[in-house]
Amino acid sequence: MKTGKTVKSGKTNRAVRSPGGLSFRLDVRATVVVALLLVLALAASVLLIGTGDFGIPAADVLRTLAGQGNASQEFIVNELRLPRVLVGLLVGAALGLGGALFQAISRNPLGSPDVLGLGQGATAGALTMIVLFSGTSAQVTIGALVGGLVTGLAIYLLAWKRGVHGYRLVLVGIGVSAIVTAVNGYLLTRADIVDASRAVVWMTGSLNGRDWAQVWPLLSLCAVLVPLVLTNGRALRMMEMGDDISYALGVRVERVRALLMVAAVLLTAAATAAAGPVSFVALTAPQLARRLTRSPGPNLLPSLCMGAALLVGADFISQRAFGADQLPVGVITGVLGGVYLLWLLVTERKAGRI
């Protein structure tokens, strides 16, 4: 294995060549950022597993995960707390990757599932099952998936005009989001007090009560979609140069765009089905990852890791910062995301860009 160092735009890249002639460019800074985010997410996960009415030191958590804990620790860690943490990691990763895809496809930092209405669409599907059919948890999950997919298909079809372009996609998404939000409000007015309370809790976005039944479907979906998305990362990066140049370079633009949009919709809908519409993670994770890596392009893997770290970090704050009054994780991400947006607007205005 041979390596060669190149310096471009103040950034160190490393060209790696295998003995068989295969070569690829390694962005050293992005690799370090991904590694640090993974360590941060895993450290927060261990601390989160040890948090609760029955506190468990981090060393005991690690021993229990390795199969060396006592009976009570194994029950608390493996059955009660580990599934919740895994759902948080998977939901954050799915939202971060889905947000990066939508922002890259639309070429707009506001082109995230929060703005385009996919979260609201999944919420409409879940509310339909809760309010109209008093559905079980499994039925609510299926309803959220179907609602997200139908909303994504509607946005794609309405935005289609000899292809899908970013500006039109964002505008159509904002319009669809407003319509679906009104539908959600109507569904809440149709609900009785019990179903309405259940729906409002779900709409906040929460990891409370999550178990292995939510882990396995989301893990299976991510195991299929994440490699599929990452293998199309090079084509997505070339598409940022424009459709004409991408066609000239051999990229099947509409095919890749449609495939990645379907993947982003599925990731967002599955995350929403598992934890409710957790706000701002899909919007902020890709932008924070890009600021850390200082790398052009969609930054798919850093965004995935940033989303996971953000969500487990927010869940840790929700359990530790307010004493006995634990807040849903969606409240924490909403506050942090709102603060980030205000900071971003201030910095952009000082820079003269808005």
Side-chain angles (χ1 to χ4, degrees), residues 87-344:
V87 170
L89 288 170
L90 291 169
V91 168
L95 290 176
L97 184 57
L101 286 173
F102 274 113
Q103 290 179 22
I105 291 172
S106 64
R107 302 173 200 166
N108 190 319
L110 292 179
S112 77
D114 298 312
V115 178
L116 297 181
L118 293 176
Q120 290 86 340
T123 301
L127 285 180
T128 300
M129 300 306 299
I130 293 173
V131 173
L132 301 183
F133 302 103
S134 297
T136 63
S137 296
Q139 291 171 334
V140 171
T141 299
I142 294 173
L145 282 170
V146 173
L149 289 172
V150 171
T151 305
L153 178 62
I155 293 172
Y156 186 83
L157 293 177
L158 290 172
W160 175 272
K161 184 179 181 182
R162 294 189 296 274
V164 174
H165 299 284
Y167 184 71
R168 189 163 58 243
L169 182 69
V170 172
L171 288 179
V172 170
I174 291 173
V176 171
S177 176
I179 294 172
V180 178
T181 300
V183 172
N184 292 341
Y186 170 74
L187 288 173
L188 283 176
T189 64
R190 290 285 307 274
D192 58 38
I193 188 64
V194 175
D195 288 339
S197 300
R198 181 185 172 197
V200 169
V201 170
W202 189 90
M203 290 172 63
T204 305
S206 175
L207 296 174
N208 292 336
R210 298 305 184 263
D211 56 26
W212 291 105
Q214 284 83 35
V215 173
W216 296 121
L218 190 54
L219 180 61
S220 301
L221 187 70
C222 289
V224 174
L225 292 180
V226 171
L228 176 66
V229 169
L230 295 180
T231 55
N232 284 275
R234 183 172 179 271
L236 183 61
R237 183 167 183 174
M238 288 192 290
M239 286 166 55
E240 292 186 340
M241 296 185 292
D243 290 358
D244 293 338
I245 296 178
S246 301
Y247 277 120
L249 294 174
V251 178
R252 298 180 179 179
V253 174
E254 288 304 328
R255 179 179 176 180
V256 172
R257 183 179 287 134
L259 176 66
L260 293 180
M261 280 195 65
V262 170
V265 169
L266 285 172
L267 287 168
T268 304
T272 305
V278 181
S279 59
F280 281 113
V281 174
L283 179 66
T284 58
Q287 298 183 33
L288 290 174
R290 192 174 298 113
R291 287 177 177 272
L292 289 177
T293 63
R294 299 178 186 173
S295 176
N299 284 277
L300 297 177
L301 190 57
S303 299
L304 181 152
C305 297
M306 177 62 77
L310 281 178
L311 196 54
V312 294
D315 195 30
F316 181 78
I317 293 172
S318 72
Q319 294 195 47
R320 295 292 293 269
F322 301 95
D325 298 325
Q326 295 185 11
L327 295 178
V329 68
V331 175
I332 303 299
T333 60
V335 172
L336 295 178
V339 171
Y340 170 77
L341 280 181
L342 290 175
W343 173 83
L344 182 63

Side-chain angles (χ1 to χ4, degrees), residues 291 344-354:
R291 287 177 177 272
L344 182 63
L345 289 173
V346 171
T347 55
E348 292 292 305
R349 182 174 181 179
K350 287 183 177 179
R353 287 188 285 266
I354 60 174

